[in-house]
Amino acid sequence: MASFIRNLRFAQKFSLISLLAGLMLAVPTVIFVKVNLEKISVAQREVSGLGPMQDLMKLTQLSQPHRGLSAVVLAGNAAQAAARQAKESEVSQALEKTQTSLGGLNAPALVQSLAKIQSDWKSLSSAVSAKSVSPADSFARHTALIGEQLSLAEDVVNETGISLDPNAAGFHLQAAVLQYMPRVTEGLGQIRARGAAILGKASATPEDKVRIESLATAIRASMASANKSFQLAAKANPTLLNNLGDALSKAISATGDGLQLADQHIVRAEVLNHPSAEYFAAMTRTIDVQFVLINAAFDALRAQLNGTAAYAQRELVIGCATVAIFLAMAIWIMVVITRTTLVSVNQALQVARSVAAGDLSGAIDTRGRDEIGNLLQALDAMQSSLIRVVASVRQGSDSVANASAEIAQGNNDMSARTESQASALEQTAASIEELNGTVRRNADCAREAKR
């Protein structure tokens, strides 16, 4: 591996480093994107369940007074027949609307449950219209039908994941509006239906009073739990109190008034002479106040879930933009580093080749402060030293050449003088020879003269 890396060119090495850095960045980026997309998907799925939930709550809101009106009509009060028929039509329309909204969830099991509710409703409404069912049986069947509606609402909550909302405000808010408040409205609805029937016949058994009192106790417990959940949600998101505080106070107050009305005119009353229609209307107003709170809570929950989805989307966009910016910066820095490094290395290589070829005239850029820059500075210093050495050698060579020339000139002068002296010696020798000859002749002449 080390040998392989050593044999790579610098550009290939930097490309390999860039690839590894990209892979290291890609893994956490993919995880980040996946987590935020999942958050968005969960929030959107939860929001998609709010529409069907509201339709189911509206269906329950309409089914509950139909139960009471049916009990009154079946007990012999024909004056409420038209109101019951109108309410029956409203329930049928609400069922159709719920079927449409529930179909958008793509959950066959929920659609199947609603189909059973529709079948039970048709059977029950037909029996009430034909007066072929007793008031007690009508009440029991209505209560079972409303129980199916509330059970379907719980299934919608579980199917869409609303009950598992990770946000504290959303979790407590959905618990209040989807778990506790339906119990409050259903308990009040039962008290309304039972109380209206009791007051219609102006008699109540001890069991009737105990049943209403038990319902009142359960309602108070459910309202207390709902109020606690609302407060916990508001603690996590204080703005909820601004939107729900007034509706919550009115709902708590109305619940107390409704339970007091039932306690005063039914549970503790010795003579049941309170008008049934007046009691029914008063309890209906009490229940309507609860649904005002429920609808406001639905709006707040929808805003909360939309806010969660929007926050996740913003976080995703900001995160991706940040990664893109840092990735662009990393690529730019890598390109700059690669380019400057290759330029410096190529310059150092060119300088080394020029020096090897005997060319010391090349200019070296020594502005860098990294290792390659230090190498170039060392090469520049080496080149400067070589230039000084060469200059010194050249200067020494010139001195030697000058000295050699002077010596040669001296030799030439000495040679000329030697030749001149030799010529003079030759002339002197010739003169001496000539003198010797003259002397000999004079000697010969003298000898001859003596003879």
Side-chain angles (χ1 to χ4, degrees):
M1 187 64 180
S3 175
F4 170 75
I5 294 177
R6 280 197 298 269
N7 292 329
L8 293 177
R9 301 180 67 85
F10 265 106
Q12 295 172 328
K13 292 178 180 179
F14 283 121
S15 298
L16 181 60
I17 294 174
S18 300
L19 177 61
L20 293 176
L23 291 175
M24 293 174 64
L25 180 64
V27 172
T29 300
V30 170
I31 295 175
F32 171 79
V33 171
K34 183 178 179 181
V35 169
N36 280 277
L37 288 177
E38 186 175 352
K39 288 181 181 179
I40 295 171
S41 177
V42 168
Q44 291 176 342
R45 181 65 174 172
E46 291 180 32
V47 171
S48 69
L50 293 180
M53 280 298 305
Q54 280 189 289
D55 291 338
L56 281 168
M57 289 296 100
K58 184 64 176 179
L59 177 61
T60 301
Q61 183 181 5
L62 295 173
S63 298
Q64 289 170 345
H66 185 270
R67 173 177 54 192
L69 291 170
S70 297
V72 172
V73 170
L74 292 173
N77 188 348
Q80 297 293 331
R84 189 208 65 79
Q85 290 177 352
K87 193 62 66 177
E88 177 183 339
S89 177
E90 291 179 11
V91 172
S92 297
Q93 292 175 2
L95 273 169
E96 293 177 1
K97 185 178 180 181
T98 303
Q99 184 179 22
T100 302
S101 62
L102 203 61
L105 294 180
N106 193 25
L110 301 180
V111 175
Q112 185 176 358
S113 298
L114 182 62
K116 182 178 183 305
I117 292 174
Q118 289 175 314
S119 176
D120 293 343
W121 164 250
K122 289 180 181 179
S123 175
L124 177 58
S125 60
S126 297
V128 173
S129 297
K131 295 184 178 181
S132 60
V133 61
S134 67
D137 192 23
S138 171
F139 180 88
R141 291 175 63 179
H142 271 93
T143 301
L145 181 65
I146 293 171
E148 291 178 11
Q149 295 171 4
L150 295 177
S151 177
L152 178 57
E154 291 181 1
D155 293 339
V156 172
V157 170
N158 295 326
E159 175 69 24
T160 57
I162 299 176
S163 60
L164 301 177
D165 191 281
N167 186 282
F171 175 81
H172 293 298
L173 190 57
Q174 65 82 24
V177 71
L178 302 179
Q179 297 182 33
Y180 301 122
M181 288 307 299
R183 298 175 189 174
V184 173
T185 59
E186 173 56 8
L188 290 172
Q190 290 190 30
I191 288 180
R192 174 179 57 188
R194 290 183 180 276
I198 290 172
L199 292 174
K201 62 183 181 180
S203 65
T205 65
E207 290 79 6
D208 291 334
K209 293 186 177 184
V210 169
R211 191 174 290 114
I212 290 178
E213 197 167 15
S214 298
L215 286 172
T217 301
I219 292 169
R220 290 188 182 94
S222 297
M223 178 55 77
S225 298
N227 182 40
K228 183 177 180 180
S229 294
F230 278 123
Q231 297 300 327
L232 290 173
K235 183 178 180 181
N237 184 3
T239 58
L240 291 176
L241 280 180
N242 299 332
N243 301 327
L244 300 177
D246 185 59
L248 178 59
S249 298
K250 290 181 178 179
I252 294 174
S253 178
T255 300
D257 293 341
L259 295 179
Q260 184 178 4
L261 179 66
D263 184 71
Q264 179 181 354
H265 296 289
I266 297 175
V267 176
R268 300 187 185 280
E270 295 182 1
V271 179
L272 302 178
N273 57 2
H274 190 77
S276 175
E278 184 178 332
Y279 172 85
F280 189 91
M283 292 300 298
T284 298
R285 288 191 295 271
T286 296
I287 296 174
D288 289 343
V289 172
Q290 312 307 314
F291 279 100
V292 168
L293 172 61
I294 290 175
N295 291 329
F298 265 113
D299 293 339
L301 184 58
R302 181 177 284 103
Q304 178 73 30
L305 295 177
N306 286 331
T308 300
Y311 177 80
Q313 289 174 341
R314 288 194 301 271
E315 190 176 42
L316 178 61
V317 171
I318 293 174
C320 291
T322 303
V323 170
I325 292 172
F326 279 108
L327 180 61
M329 291 178 61
I331 293 174
W332 177 77
I333 292 174
M334 186 63 69
V335 170
V336 171
I337 292 175
T338 302
R339 182 180 300 170
T340 55
T341 301
L342 290 179
V343 169
S344 299
V345 169
N346 289 332
Q347 185 180 9
L349 180 62
Q350 185 62 37
V351 169
R353 288 174 175 173
S354 298
V355 171
D359 182 8
L360 301 178
S361 62
I364 302 177
D365 185 2
T366 61
R367 290 177 295 179
R369 293 295 179 266
D370 57 0
E371 287 78 1
I372 302 297
N374 294 334
L375 174 62
L376 290 173
Q377 291 174 6
L379 289 174
D380 183 61
M382 180 190 74
Q383 182 173 306
S384 299
S385 297
L386 286 175
I387 291 173
R388 288 194 298 271
V389 169
V390 170
S392 177
V393 170
R394 181 176 296 172
Q395 184 178 2
S397 298
D398 291 341
S399 299
V400 171
N402 291 333
S404 297
E406 291 177 356
I407 293 173
Q409 183 64 37
N411 289 336
N412 290 333
D413 293 342
M414 185 180 292
S415 176
R417 287 195 299 271
T418 301
E419 289 178 358
S420 177
Q421 290 176 358
S423 177
L425 288 174
E426 288 178 356
Q427 291 178 358
T428 301
S431 297
I432 293 173
E433 185 64 31
E434 185 177 355
L435 181 59
N436 288 333
T438 300
V439 171
R440 285 194 204 97
R441 284 192 301 270
N442 290 330
D444 289 338
C445 286
R447 280 193 300 267
E448 286 179 0
K450 286 178 179 182
R451 293 176 179 168

